[in-house]
Amino acid sequence: LAVRVVLAAADLAELKVVLESTDCFALDTETTDLDPQQADLVGLSFSTRAGEGWYLPVGHSYLGVPDQLTLEVVIRELGGILANSAIAKVGQHCKYDDHILRRHGLPVRGWTFDTMLESYVLNATATRHDMDSLAAFYLQRGTIKFEDVAGKGRKQLTFDQIDLAQAAPYAAEDAEVTLALHRHLWPRLQADTALQKVYEEIEQPLIGVLARIECRGVLIDSQQLHAASTEFASRMEDLARQAHELAGGEFNLNSPVQLKEILFERLELPVLRKTPKGQPSTAEDVLQELADKHELPQLILDWRGLAKLRSTYTERLPASVNSQTGRVHTSYHQAVAATGRLSSADPNLQNIPVRSVEGRRIRQAFIAPPGRVLISLDYSQIELRLMAHMSGDPSLVEAFVQDLDIHRATAAEVFGVALETVEPEQRRAAKAINFGLIYGISAFGLARQLRIGRSEAQQYMDLFFERYPGVSAYMQRCQDEARDKGYVETLYGRRLYLPEINDRNAQRRQAAERIAINAPLQGTAADIIKLAMIEVDRQIATEPDIHMIMQVHDELVFELPETIATKTAQGFCHSMETVAALDVPLKVDWGLGRNWDAAHS
C-alpha cells in the first residue's frame, strides 16, 4: 500500500486537489476512544483509488512527534469538500465517524455508502460486519490489527500516542480497504433491485436519524435511580433470607454449583436438562419449570432479576451520564440483529422490563427537562397485524379491520363462543397462541406456558388452524420457500439466509423452521419502524424544539415542549400508521408525561 502522510500545507493542497477531482472517496477517522461522544480526533484517512491511502494527523501527542497541521487549517481547507453532498463519501460504520467529525467542526454531507451496511443488507449472517472480518471474508485480505500498533491489555496505547511510522500505514489501510470493500459489495447489491432499495431507502437514510438520536441523548434522574438501587438491594436481601430458610442453610444465590447441590441433591428436585459438561442445568427456563414444584426456584429467579436490573440500570445509568451534556447517550447498532431490528448498547436501553414494577421504577427516572414532556408512540401488535396481512387469512384480517380485541376474537373463534362471553382464561390462552405462533411455538411449549396438558394444547392449536387456515398455509409457505431458496424475505425484500433449514440434525432444522416463520414478520416490523423514523425525522428537521430521543423495539420516544405535545403526537401517530399500506390498519398507541413511564402507561 502506498501511504502519503500529510504534514505540510503543500501536502494538504495536493490532497485537496485529489479529493475535489473525484466523485467518491473513502473516509475514516482515528480517535482516542470508542465512545463517539467523548473521543478526541487524532487523524483522518482518505482513499480514492486501489493501493493508495492518505493519512492526515491532527492530534498525535507523543514525545518527539513531528509538527502536524492544526485542526483549524484542516477545517478551512477540507471543510467544504466534506460538506459537499455532490461528492459521495464511503465509510465503514460511518455513523461513528459522523459523530466525531461533527463534534470537531467538520460536519459531513454525502455519506452515500457504508460498507458495514452494504454487507449487512447483502447477507446479515454470512460474517461479522467489522472491517477486518469483511476484508478477510470478501477480499481474502489480512489487515493490520489495532493491537499490532497499539499493544494489548493495560499497556495498550491510545491512538494519539502511536508513532506516525506505525499509525499512518494502519490508518491509510482502513480507508483503502473500505474503498475496496465498497467496490466489491456495491455491484452485488445493485444486481438485486430489492436489496438495493433496502439499502438506499431504509438503512442508509437511517444513519443520520440514529446519529441525531444518539447526539441528543436522554435525561435521567440519577437520585431516583440511586433510591431504586437501594430499594432493590434491600429486596434482594429479603429474598436471599427466604431462600436460605427454604434451603435449610446459607448459600451463594449466584453460584450455579451451590444451587445445583441444593436443588438436586438436598431438595431432590428433578433434573430437567444437563449442561454440555453433563451437569444439571440451573438456567432460567429450567428454574421457571421447577418453580411449579417448589418455592425456591422462583425466589432465585426474582433475586437474579433484581440483581440484573441493579447492575445494568440503577447502578450503571448514573455512571453513564456524559459530563458535558448531562445526558445518557446510547449507541444504536444497525448491523447486529439478523432480522433487521436495531439493538442498543453502552448502555442498552431496550431491555428494561415493561410490565414489572421494577421496570417501571427505572422508566420513571427517564425524564423531560422543565417545561418539556416526553411522548411515547408504540405500534400495537404489529407482528400479529403483519401475520394477518402476509397470510391473507380472511378471519384474521377482518378482526383487525373491525378493530376487535384480537385475543378475544381468537378466543371466540377457537372456543366457539360469542365475543361477549369469552372468559379471561380463554382470552389468556388465545393470547398465548397468537403470540406463540409468531415464534413457531410447539404444543409442548404452549402447554408449558399455559400450564395445561400437551394434548389439550395440541387441541387448541388444531382448533386455531382450523379457524385460521390462511395462517397455517402462510407458515408452510415460509418453510417451503426457505427450503427452496435458502432464505426468507420481508415485505420490503430484506433477506434472512437459513443455511440450517435442510440440516440432518432435527434440532437445528426445527430451529431454522421456526425462524423461517418469524423472520419475515419481525423483519418487516423492523423495516416499518425504520421507515417511520426516517419520515418523522424528515418532519422535525425544521423543528429545533422537537427531538427523537429513543427507539425501543416498536416504540419511539420524543422530547418536546408541553404546549405542542398533543398536536405533535397526533401528527406523528398519523405518519406512523400510514408509512406502510397493508390489508389491515396499523395502529399506534401514544401517551405523554413528565417521564417515560408516565408517557408509556
Side-chain angles (χ1 to χ4, degrees):
L1 178 67
V3 179
R4 293 285 304 275
V5 183
V6 181
L7 288 171
D11 301 325
L12 185 60
E14 195 178 336
L15 172 62
K16 186 177 179 182
V17 168
V18 168
L19 296 179
E20 281 176 333
S21 61
T22 184
D23 58 0
C24 177
F25 63 81
L27 168 62
D28 188 46
T29 59
E30 300 302 341
T31 66
T32 55
D33 200 302
L34 289 173
D35 181 350
Q37 309 299 335
Q38 310 266 17
D40 293 326
L41 178 64
V42 179
L44 300 92
S45 55
F46 305 87
S47 182
T48 60
R49 58 187 187 190
E52 284 186 13
W54 299 70
Y55 182 52
L56 169 54
V58 294
H60 286 265
S61 58
Y62 56 88
L63 197 63
V65 66
D67 289 341
Q68 299 156 84
L69 293 164
T70 64
L71 190 54
E72 289 69 31
V73 169
V74 173
I75 291 170
R76 188 179 70 229
E77 294 302 316
L78 298 186
I81 295 169
L82 294 183
N84 182 356
S85 57
I87 302 175
K89 283 78 176 179
V90 183
Q92 160 68 26
H93 187 206
C94 53
K95 175 158 63 70
Y96 176 88
D97 302 300
D98 190 74
H99 278 305
I100 299 297
L101 292 166
R102 179 191 41 75
R103 281 183 48 239
H104 288 83
L106 279 164
V108 180
R109 292 176 65 212
W111 281 120
T112 311
F113 305 107
D114 187 326
T115 48
M116 176 183 80
L117 296 177
E118 288 174 354
S119 165
Y120 177 67
V121 171
L122 191 63
N123 188 334
T125 55
T127 176
R128 291 179 60 199
H129 305 284
D130 60 281
M131 196 199 75
D132 292 340
S133 299
L134 295 182
F137 187 80
Y138 287 111
L139 307 177
Q140 288 74 53
R141 275 179 69 170
T143 50
I144 307 167
K145 306 295 184 285
F146 183 71
E147 288 81 6
D148 298 339
V149 296
K152 292 182 180 179
R154 287 202 309 213
K155 291 185 177 177
Q156 189 175 70
L157 301 173
T158 49
F159 208 81
D160 57 323
Q161 299 168 306
I162 297 169
D163 192 290
L164 278 176
Q166 287 183 292
Y170 169 85
E173 182 188 73
D174 278 0
E176 196 271 343
V177 167
T178 297
L179 188 66
L181 281 168
H182 166 63
R183 287 177 173 166
H184 179 87
L185 294 167
W186 186 243
R188 296 177 67 173
L189 276 179
Q190 283 182 305
D192 189 297
T193 311
L195 292 182
Q196 188 179 341
K197 277 184 77 170
V198 169
Y199 177 84
E200 290 183 333
E201 295 179 12
I202 301 176
E203 296 300 344
Q204 195 275 337
L206 195 67
I207 299 168
V209 180
L210 295 176
R212 285 182 279 282
I213 295 174
E214 292 172 0
C215 178
R216 178 67 181 177
V218 60
L219 198 60
I220 62 162
D221 183 336
S222 294
Q223 282 181 310
Q224 203 169 330
L225 287 169
H226 286 310
S229 209
T230 306
E231 194 182 297
F232 291 177
S234 167
R235 289 199 30 219
M236 285 169 70
E237 282 176 22
D238 288 344
L239 290 167
R241 202 165 34 248
Q242 290 174 53
H244 294 156
E245 282 173 22
L246 283 171
E250 288 199 5
F251 69 100
N252 179 355
L253 275 74
N254 228 359
S255 165
V257 175
Q258 291 183 34
L259 186 57
K260 191 176 59 193
E261 190 264 321
I262 285 160
L263 293 178
F264 306 115
E265 292 172 31
R266 199 181 297 181
L267 298 176
E268 297 181 342
L269 291 173
V271 175
L272 301 178
R273 197 171 73 225
K274 293 196 173 181
T275 66
K277 290 184 178 175
Q279 297 298 309
S281 171
T282 58
E284 190 173 330
D285 60 333
V286 170
L287 292 180
Q288 280 170 345
E289 218 171 318
L290 289 172
D292 290 343
K293 300 173 176 25
H294 198 280
E295 285 177 70
L296 183 58
Q298 189 58 55
L299 286 174
I300 303 291
L301 284 169
D302 293 345
W303 186 91
R304 279 184 184 178
L306 285 169
K308 191 172 181 184
L309 289 178
R310 274 195 87 218
S311 62
T312 312
Y313 297 113
T314 58
E315 294 289 303
R316 176 125 186 259
L317 281 174
S320 301
V321 174
N322 183 301
S323 57
Q324 290 171 307
T325 66
R327 288 172 170 256
V328 168
H329 302 265
T330 187
S331 289
Y332 288 97
H333 296 301
Q334 282 173 269
V336 172
T339 55
R341 277 200 164 201
L342 293 169
S343 62
S344 152
D346 303 316
N348 178 356
L349 302 182
Q350 297 195 323
N351 278 357
I352 303 169
V354 180
R355 290 179 183 84
S356 74
V357 174
E358 297 81 16
R360 294 190 67 174
R361 277 297 304 274
I362 294 166
R363 284 167 183 258
Q364 284 160 13
F366 286 69
I367 58 171
R372 297 171 74 80
V373 290
L374 303 184
I375 57 173
S376 160
L377 297 103
D378 198 348
Y379 277 114
S380 170
Q381 301 171 332
I382 188 167
E383 288 181 26
L384 273 176
R385 289 170 190 272
L386 288 169
M387 174 70 95
H389 172 82
M390 291 163 88
S391 70
D393 184 275
S395 301
L396 203 54
V397 169
E398 187 61 18
F400 280 117
V401 169
Q402 296 289 334
D403 198 22
L404 301 178
D405 173 337
I406 192 64
H407 305 313
R408 183 176 286 275
T410 295
E413 289 281 357
V414 168
F415 298 110
V417 295
L419 259 179
E420 58 276 10
T421 63
V422 168
E423 292 174 7
E425 203 54 36
Q426 291 174 321
R427 186 185 182 278
R428 191 175 79 85
K431 185 176 180 178
I433 299 169
N434 280 339
F435 285 122
L437 289 170
I438 287 173
Y439 294 97
I441 201 167
S442 62
F444 175 75
L446 185 65
R448 201 166 69 182
Q449 207 173 321
L450 293 175
R451 296 181 178 177
I452 57 176
R454 191 173 172 179
S455 59
E456 194 180 349
Q458 186 63 58
Q459 200 180 344
Y460 284 176
M461 288 176 72
D462 292 343
L463 277 168
F464 178 93
F465 289 128
E466 208 178 288
R467 299 292 181 179
Y468 297 120
V471 174
S472 179
Y474 163 78
M475 291 165 75
Q476 191 59 54
R477 198 161 64 241
C478 286
Q479 293 177 348
D480 291 345
E481 186 181 313
R483 285 189 201 97
D484 183 37
K485 295 180 178 175
Y487 61 82
V488 288
E489 291 178 296
T490 69
L491 281 182
Y492 295 90
R494 184 189 300 278
R495 279 182 198 167
L496 178 68
Y497 286 87
L498 295 165
E500 295 184 334
I501 194 75
N502 295 311
D503 204 287
R504 286 181 183 177
N505 179 301
Q507 218 172 347
R508 284 200 289 266
R509 187 177 65 251
Q510 285 160 7
E513 286 169 355
R514 285 193 295 274
I515 295 169
I517 294 164
N518 174 250
L521 301 168
Q522 197 179 105
T524 301
D527 289 342
I528 286 173
I529 198 156
K530 285 176 175 179
L531 288 167
M533 291 169 78
I534 293 161
E535 172 55 27
V536 174
D537 180 77
R538 187 188 60 74
Q539 292 172 19
I540 62 177
T542 54
E543 303 280 352
D545 253 357
I546 304 174
H547 300 278
M548 201 183 318
I549 58 166
M550 280 188 286
Q551 189 273 357
V552 181
H553 305 311
D554 303 323
E555 175 187 10
L556 298 180
V557 183
F558 299 82
E559 181 193 291
L560 71 173
E562 190 172 5
T563 50
I564 59 169
T566 299
K567 187 181 176 186
T568 304
Q570 288 166 344
F572 288 170
C573 236
H574 177 74
S575 298
M576 289 172 71
E577 288 176 345
T578 55
V579 79
L582 304 175
D583 294 338
V584 297
L586 283 173
K587 187 178 177 185
V588 173
D589 297 324
W590 70 272
L592 64 86
R594 301 272 176 211
N595 64 62
W596 186 15
D597 180 57
H600 197 269
S601 45

